[in-house]
Amino acid sequence: MTTDTASLSWRQRSYRLLFDNHSRTGRRMQAFWVSAALFSVVLLFLEPGGSALFTPGPKAIYFFLWAEVVFTGIFTLEYLLRLWCTPADQHYALSFFGIVDLLTVLPLYIIWLYPHMTVELMMLLRIIRILRVLRVLKLLRYMSEMGMIWRSIKLARRKLAMFFGFVAVVLCVFGGLMYAIEGGNGGFTSLAASVYWAVVTLTTVGYGDIVPHTAVGRLLTSVLILLGYSIIAVPTGILTAYMSQELQRNRARRNCEQCQRGGHETEAIFCKYCGSALPPISGKYGQK
């Protein structure tokens, strides 16, 4: 066995451990990464400044510090392994999860680079906390159906863009009308404030901080609320249609090697017609 072959073999093993959840070892590794992400986020809300219900003592502060060091080391190792074993044509470093993985390991290194943070750097501390909260996004990687939702959004992007463009036109028209009708009273002091009122009204949130006081303004508000209720289901219907198509495609792609019949769920292990084991869904390095 040559050096290149041995190196490729290690890349295959690492790829299967990180990306293949159909084997027992892959599922255990998936459970480990999910647990690490969950525990790190929970500790983030319990540490000083993260929770108003729990005030840790001096010893607990050291515990949180070392826990952050451990989790940063774990996630750094994960990021480097994924960067190494992912095929180049998948562009992991520039992908959504690649950027999330990188951002979630940066906070501790930023603190090491800026150990003497002053009041002027409090914004940096807040950004660091936000970056650590992003670890919850790592869980999306292990939700297999999220890929289907993302593909559905990409396929429906033109129709969704047309819908939100129409909504933007409606908001500008109603906001401009309300600004003219109310004449700067009742909080409608600018066109931007009037459009903000239109957004809150169309989405039927109704904060109540800006309300019309004229009869025509209230009539216009009623029309906008009814319009909001009538169009709120449009994007849901669009996404549902494309998600149904993606679900059918996923089922059609899984064929049994024995009876050559398709229509299996992505989580299925055995054929529902003949009972034979279904081939695993693998990536580029997932071939046997």
Side-chain angles (χ1 to χ4, degrees), residues 4-288:
D4 294 339
T5 305
S7 176
L8 182 61
S9 177
W10 278 107
R11 292 185 69 184
Q12 288 179 342
R13 294 176 184 176
S14 300
Y15 187 89
R16 290 179 179 178
L17 285 175
L18 292 171
F19 294 95
D20 184 13
N21 61 351
H22 290 83
S23 63
R24 179 179 299 179
T25 306
R27 287 192 294 269
R28 289 176 178 174
M29 290 299 299
Q30 175 178 320
F32 171 76
W33 295 121
V34 169
S35 301
L38 284 175
F39 281 131
S40 66
V41 173
V42 170
L43 288 177
L44 174 61
F45 286 97
L46 293 177
E47 69 180 19
S51 174
L53 302 177
F54 174 68
T55 304
K59 294 183 179 179
I61 293 177
Y62 286 104
F63 167 77
F64 287 115
L65 176 60
W66 281 108
E68 180 61 24
V69 171
V70 171
F71 282 122
T72 300
I74 291 174
F75 294 138
T76 301
L77 177 62
E78 179 195 14
Y79 177 74
L80 294 176
L81 285 175
R82 290 183 184 275
L83 195 64
W84 173 61
C85 71
T86 304
D89 57 0
Q90 295 186 16
H91 306 290
Y92 165 74
L94 300 178
S95 66
F96 171 77
F97 286 115
I99 295 174
V100 168
D101 291 339
L102 177 61
L103 292 177
T104 54
V105 302
L106 286 179
L108 188 62
Y109 300 115
I110 293 176
I111 293 176
W112 284 343
L113 290 175
Y114 300 96
H116 304 292
M117 291 188 178
T118 59
V119 178
E120 291 77 9
L121 294 175
M122 288 303 294
M123 181 59 69
L124 181 59
L125 287 173
R126 295 190 182 97
I127 294 175
I128 289 173
R129 185 174 292 274
I130 293 173
L131 292 179
R132 292 167 64 192
V133 172
L134 289 180
R135 288 173 182 170
V136 74
L137 295 178
K138 297 166 72 71
L139 301 178
L140 297 179
R141 175 184 285 117
Y142 306 104
M143 300 178 184
S144 58
E145 301 304 325
M146 286 302 300
M148 182 185 67
I149 295 176
W150 177 246
R151 289 191 298 271
S152 302
I153 293 175
K154 290 178 65 176
L155 291 173
R157 63 184 182 275
R158 295 182 182 274
K159 293 182 176 61
L160 291 176
M162 292 177 60
F163 168 76
F164 286 112
F166 166 75
V167 171
V169 171
V170 170
L171 294 175
C172 291
V173 171
F174 275 81
L177 290 175
M178 187 61 71
Y179 178 63
I181 292 172
E182 294 297 319
N185 299 320
F188 298 91
T189 55
S190 65
L191 184 60
S194 301
V195 172
Y196 159 76
W197 162 85
V199 173
V200 173
T201 305
L202 184 68
T203 55
T204 68
V205 175
Y207 290 130
D209 53 345
I210 303 178
V211 293
H213 295 284
T214 63
V216 179
R218 291 172 180 172
L219 177 63
L220 193 66
T221 301
S222 302
V223 173
L224 190 57
I225 293 174
L226 294 176
L227 182 62
Y229 273 113
S230 62
I231 68 175
I232 196 171
V234 173
T236 305
I238 295 174
L239 281 178
T240 301
Y242 280 96
M243 286 177 64
S244 299
Q245 294 179 12
E246 280 296 308
L247 186 60
Q248 293 298 327
R249 291 193 187 100
N250 289 341
R251 290 175 177 174
R253 280 194 289 262
R254 296 212 69 190
N255 293 325
C256 176
E257 295 179 346
Q258 298 295 326
C259 63
Q260 300 299 320
R261 301 178 72 175
H264 300 91
E265 301 290 342
T266 55
E267 297 85 2
I269 301 177
F270 300 99
C271 176
K272 61 182 179 180
Y273 302 106
C274 67
S276 302
L278 293 173
I281 301 176
S282 304
K284 184 173 180 178
Y285 290 127
Q287 300 94 344
K288 294 183 180 179

